[in-house]
Amino acid sequence: MLHDLLIAPFQDFEFMRRALVGTLALALGAAPVGVFLMLRRMSLTGDAMSHAILPGAAVGFLVAGLDLFAMTLGGLVAGVVVAVLAGLVARGTELKEDAALAAFYLVSLALGVVIVSLRGSNVDLFHILFGSVLALDDAAMLLLASVASLSLVTLAVIWRPLVMECVDPNFLRSVSGAGGPVHLVFLALVVMNLVGAFHALGTLLAVGLMMLPAAAARFWARDITALAAIAVLVGMVSGYAGLLVSYNTELPSGPSIILVAGGICLVSIFIGPVGGILRRLIPARHLEA
Amino acid sequence: MPALTFRTLTLGYERHPAVHHLDGSVAEGELLAVVGPNGAGKSTLLKGIVGALRPLDGVIERGGVKARDIAYLPQIAEIDRSFPIAVYDMVAMGLWRRAGLFGAIAGTDRARIKAAMSAVGLAGFENRTIGTLSGGQMQRTLFARLLLQDARLILLDEPFTAIDARTAADLLALIKRWHGERRTILAVLHDLETVRAHFPTTLLLAREPVAWGPTPQVLTPDNLLRARHITEAWDDEAGVCERAA
């Protein structure tokens, strides 16, 4: 019985196995990146950049149809361009970075939908907006695995200066010139993970497996390493449970995964031991010292 | 040989000078207080020395000390204290020059970190996150990091602001210990009593240098009044400065 419910779907169907491996890889790379985005108060930046990828991917689609390589390349280029442009506009004008990003991503989203509509059907549009986690081919799997591997290795390399850049950028600047490059590498990681997630979850939900696990983890741990580990775990559980929910109820799979992640996040907000609502409502007796 | 020499140094933002035509030098082993009203360019001067700000004009000669070999205490307000990092790790940042990206923190380093934390009175705080520290404890943490940096030139930006008397006294004792070890120290301070009591030399800055020399001769009522009157204003219509560099 339990076997039928929890394991059989993956045993019986290859597309379910692929979807599972794809989401696990995605969670592994995207969740730690999401933790840093959250801690740097850049959650909305991630959201905006995931939308910004759309016109690039759409141009790739226009040129080559639903081709992995073309859409990935287009998405990467668009993501980097918008990240740099938003930074320049914020630095060079009176517009703050969040306003600049909001402006860019609204235009990007509209532009992307228009470009896709030039050639594709509504089915294509749906595919691009919400992804197709149940239709991951070999190339897409390889891409997701590569993104996850590259993310983990890169994070391991830049971990120390990235943490220092977050906590005390002035100090890092006084001992090392690594601050600027580390920030750029980190932005590149964000774009890379979003482009990977785009294939599985679509442009509208790509940021979900990045930010929701990070937000949930905040209520379970105080330490940065623990935060990253818990976020990865939450992302993986969401992927697994979301796929099962979608299999058993015939709901669309991408949104199911994100809803499960959202559910875990909501539960964490209530019962999480680190500043959860329940802890605040039922205060324990204060300590002696 | 002086530790620091400024030659018609002008530092600022968007071409507006915050430190204007500063000339002079800081001797090796000097304990120098930098005082002046808000907006006088004190923090700007430290940022210039540490290399975070490129001079608009003039030069800073560091007498062979590289920018990276300077220990710098930033203003506490510029640190993100909500970031979940342990006090121990925060202090360990002081080992950056030795450890860098990958270098292991070896047993001797761990002993040094522990010793630095004890020296500032934070033994037992290793696993606390910095968000749980009081203002004084946070400043002690930053001093422990300075201890580990073991630098010949130490720059302190308002080390005693919003700190209680006992903590200030403890940290002042550390500064005196560094002074005894012939390290060169520049400290931006607001409390003139502290300056008079503990700092042999003083630079009174009000964008332009007002006075620089032995503390009793610098902190005269006359000089302080002049410092207060030199304008803080940012003049959008200001013309180009024609003073020869």
Side-chain angles (χ1 to χ4, degrees):
Chain A
M1 174 60 201
L2 222 50
H3 177 272
D4 284 351
L5 199 66
L6 302 180
I7 297 171
F10 299 103
Q11 210 166 26
D12 297 343
F13 298 102
E14 201 198 343
F15 69 86
M16 286 295 281
R17 285 200 293 280
R18 284 172 173 275
L20 182 63
V21 173
T23 37
L24 292 186
L26 198 56
L28 197 58
V33 172
V35 167
F36 276 99
L37 274 179
M38 174 186 70
L39 290 176
R40 306 187 82 175
R41 299 185 184 80
M42 288 171 63
S43 303
L44 286 175
T45 307
D47 195 32
M49 278 166 72
S50 76
H51 291 66
I53 288 167
L54 184 60
V59 168
F61 172 76
L62 201 61
V63 173
L66 286 173
D67 176 72
L68 181 89
F69 179 74
M71 289 172 66
T72 301
L73 190 68
L76 280 177
V77 171
V80 169
V81 165
V82 166
V84 170
L85 272 185
L88 285 181
V89 167
R91 216 147 292 174
T93 71
E94 286 296 302
L95 209 56
K96 292 269 181 285
E97 189 151 17
D98 60 336
L101 277 169
F104 274 113
Y105 97 76
L106 285 166
V107 172
S108 302
L109 189 58
L111 188 65
V113 170
V114 166
I115 295 176
V116 173
S117 306
L118 283 181
R119 171 163 164 181
S121 63
N122 276 344
V123 177
D124 292 326
L125 188 60
F126 200 77
H127 171 89
I128 286 172
L129 289 180
F130 297 102
S132 46
V133 69
L134 295 182
L136 295 175
D137 57 14
D138 285 352
M141 299 278 288
L142 201 62
L143 177 75
L144 287 174
S146 310
V147 166
S149 311
L150 196 58
S151 295
L152 290 185
V153 171
T154 309
L155 273 180
V157 171
I158 66 169
W159 188 271
R160 274 183 194 169
L162 184 59
V163 168
M164 288 164 77
E165 167 78 7
C166 295
V167 187
D168 196 349
N170 284 316
F171 176 77
L172 180 62
R173 206 175 304 143
S174 77
V175 293
S176 157
V182 159
H183 184 65
L184 287 182
V185 169
F186 175 69
L187 282 182
L189 274 188
V190 174
V191 172
M192 204 174 75
N193 274 286
L194 287 173
V195 170
F198 162 81
H199 291 289
L201 297 169
T203 187
L204 291 182
L205 297 176
V207 80
L209 270 188
M210 195 176 274
M211 296 322 304
L212 287 170
R218 193 75 168 110
F219 291 93
W220 297 97
R222 285 204 164 89
D223 172 73
I224 171 80
T225 315
L227 276 174
I230 292 173
V232 167
L233 192 71
V234 170
M236 287 181 162
V237 169
S238 307
Y240 171 72
L243 284 170
L244 277 184
V245 167
S246 125
Y247 178 84
N248 287 311
T249 58
E250 293 184 11
L251 292 172
S253 42
S256 297
I257 293 172
I258 301 304
L259 277 178
V260 171
I264 295 178
C265 186
L266 204 62
V267 169
S268 304
I269 291 175
F270 275 103
I271 66 166
V274 183
I277 288 178
L278 212 59
R279 269 293 164 96
R280 299 210 171 159
L281 288 183
I282 313 170
R285 294 284 309 267
H286 67 266
L287 305 174
E288 263 189 350
Chain B
M1 181 176 171
L4 280 172
T5 307
F6 311 120
R7 290 189 205 287
T8 60
L9 175 67
T10 298
L11 292 159
Y13 308 91
E14 295 169 39
R15 294 176 66 205
H16 293 275
V19 175
H20 207 181
H21 294 291
L22 179 65
D23 267 297
S25 59
V26 183
E28 181 95 44
E30 193 171 331
L31 177 56
L32 175 72
V34 182
V35 298
N38 287 330
K42 306 180 296 293
S43 300
T44 306
L45 178 62
L46 295 199
K47 283 183 179 157
I49 296 171
V50 86
L53 205 61
R54 201 188 298 274
L56 296 177
D57 204 354
V59 286
I60 303 173
E61 285 166 19
R62 293 194 201 87
V65 180
K66 276 186 240 131
R68 307 276 179 249
D69 297 334
I70 301 169
Y72 169 55
L73 176 83
Q75 275 184 36
I76 209 164
E78 295 177 5
I79 293 170
D80 178 4
R81 286 168 67 185
S82 69
F83 196 90
I85 182 171
V87 173
Y88 183 90
D89 291 330
M90 189 79 187
V91 173
M93 284 182 191
L95 291 172
W96 170 268
R97 273 206 310 130
R98 281 163 48 93
L101 268 184
F102 297 117
I105 308 280
T108 51
D109 293 325
R110 270 186 229 120
R112 285 183 62 205
I113 296 171
K114 291 257 183 193
M117 291 187 65
S118 297
V120 298
L122 283 181
F125 280 70
E126 285 79 4
N127 295 323
R128 293 266 295 269
T129 51
I130 58 171
T132 65
L133 298 181
S134 71
Q137 289 163 343
M138 185 68 206
Q139 198 64 288
R140 286 172 189 265
T141 304
L142 298 182
F143 266 75
R145 187 171 73 180
L146 287 175
L147 273 172
L148 281 186
Q149 281 186 273
D150 190 26
R152 297 305 305 163
L153 178 55
I154 300 170
L155 309 176
L156 309 171
D157 201 347
E158 303 200 10
F160 305 138
T161 299
I163 298 290
D164 68 17
R166 196 181 128 213
T167 306
D170 285 356
L171 299 182
L172 197 57
L174 274 179
I175 293 177
K176 290 196 153 170
R177 185 176 123 195
W178 288 328
H179 185 49
E181 292 164 351
R182 300 274 304 146
R183 301 178 200 268
T184 311
I185 304 161
L186 273 75
V188 171
L189 295 168
H190 279 297
D191 178 24
L192 297 184
E193 289 317 308
T194 310
V195 176
R196 285 201 180 94
H198 304 286
F199 287 75
T201 50
T202 298
L203 162 62
L204 178 56
L205 200 63
R207 207 143 44 118
E208 322 254 339
V210 178
W212 188 352
T215 301
Q217 291 160 38
V218 170
L219 295 183
T220 59
D222 238 23
N223 282 339
L224 291 171
L225 198 65
R226 269 207 300 148
R228 219 174 304 159
H229 280 300
I230 294 184
T231 174
E232 285 182 21
W234 170 298
D235 185 357
D236 271 328
E237 310 292 321
V240 174
C241 174
E242 299 289 358
R243 236 184 290 174

